[in-house]
């Protein structure tokens, strides 16, 4: 059975990146304050988000795992999120029991995406973010907002088989 992901349409491929139009979707998002390291923030938030989808919410509802796990740098740390499945977001999304988790709608929009395999960490995030932004500039694409990291596979997946991405919202 395939793991659900946000719905998007690839509009073009240029300079090593894909330009995509995403439908709106919802995320359960954990704010990790005062942690600069991407891997450490993700590890800390993952347990809290996993508890949320395992029933630590207002409805004691189990929610299916989706991908990717997303990480966005914030002023005081990271925002780490799980995508809420469509069947849940069409109804009432259960409120998280943990106050560090919030529910947020991601508006439909255009994004540039750079896909890569291997491990993900701060150094890789910085390098791939720079590569993505330079490709956007070469393509004449106007960037709006921060670069985010998207990790599609579980940690036991061999690194050479992993799908990772960096994404950035574009002006439409």
């Amino acid at each position: 059975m395939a793991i659900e992901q946000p719905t998007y349409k690839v509009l073009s491929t240029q300079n090593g990146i894909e330009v995509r139009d995403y439908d709106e979707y919802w995320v359960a998002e954990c704010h990790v304050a005062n942690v600069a390291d991407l891997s450490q923030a993700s590890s800390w938030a993952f347990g809290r988000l996993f508890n949320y989808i395992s029933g630590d919410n207002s409805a004691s509802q189990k929610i299916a795992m989706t991908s990717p796990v997303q990480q966005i740098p914030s002023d005081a740390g990271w925002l780490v999120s799980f995508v809420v499945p469509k069947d849940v977001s069409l109804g009432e999304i259960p409120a998280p029991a943990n106050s560090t988790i919030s529910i947020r709608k991601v508006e439909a929009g255009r994004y540039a995406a750079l896909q890569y395999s291997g491990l993900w960490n701060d150094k890789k995030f910085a390098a791939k973010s720079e590569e993505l932004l330079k490709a956007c500039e070469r393509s004449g694409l106007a960037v709006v907002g921060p670069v985010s990291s998207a990790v599609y596979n579980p940690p036991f997946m061999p690194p050479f088989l992993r799908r990772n991405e960096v994404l950035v919202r574009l002006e439409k």
Side-chain angles (χ1 to χ4, degrees):
M1 180 176 183
I3 293 180
E4 185 178 328
Q5 301 174 14
T7 304
Y8 65 86
K9 178 182 176 184
V10 177
L11 302 176
S12 66
T13 302
Q14 52 194 318
N15 291 311
I17 60 174
E18 286 184 347
V19 177
R20 304 171 178 168
D21 272 350
Y22 277 84
D23 293 344
E24 84 173 24
Y25 61 97
W26 290 82
V27 294
E29 185 170 71
C30 185
H31 182 248
V32 182
N34 302 317
V35 175
D37 181 74
L38 169 65
S39 299
Q40 184 181 8
S42 294
S43 180
W44 186 86
F46 188 90
R48 292 169 189 254
L49 290 165
F50 186 78
N51 288 342
Y52 169 73
I53 67 170
S54 296
D56 189 24
N57 56 60
S58 61
S60 298
Q61 177 182 350
K62 291 189 185 289
I63 300 170
M65 182 62 137
T66 59
S67 70
V69 175
Q70 299 171 330
Q71 302 92 10
I72 302 172
S74 72
D75 292 338
W78 290 88
L79 298 171
V80 181
S81 63
F82 284 2
V83 177
V84 175
K86 285 185 188 112
D87 66 335
V88 175
S89 65
L90 290 174
E92 189 171 320
I93 301 171
N98 186 315
S99 64
T100 63
I101 298 173
S102 58
I103 304 299
R104 178 175 63 89
K105 179 166 69 169
V106 178
E107 299 291 340
R110 185 158 294 162
Y111 286 79
L114 173 67
Q115 197 171 124
Y116 65 97
S117 61
L119 299 174
W120 54 273
N121 53 38
D122 286 319
K123 188 175 178 179
K124 181 79 87 161
F125 178 71
K128 293 299 180 181
S129 295
E130 183 178 342
E131 188 178 336
L132 173 65
L133 294 173
K134 285 181 178 177
C136 287
E137 186 178 334
R138 284 192 307 274
S139 298
L141 302 170
V143 170
V144 180
V147 175
S148 64
S149 171
V151 178
Y152 288 83
N153 305 107
F156 56 80
M157 178 72 68
F160 68 93
L161 293 176
R162 292 183 187 172
R163 174 184 173 197
N164 305 309
E165 295 178 340
V166 284
L167 300 108
V168 68
R169 187 178 280 272
L170 301 173
E171 216 172 71
K172 215 165 182 179

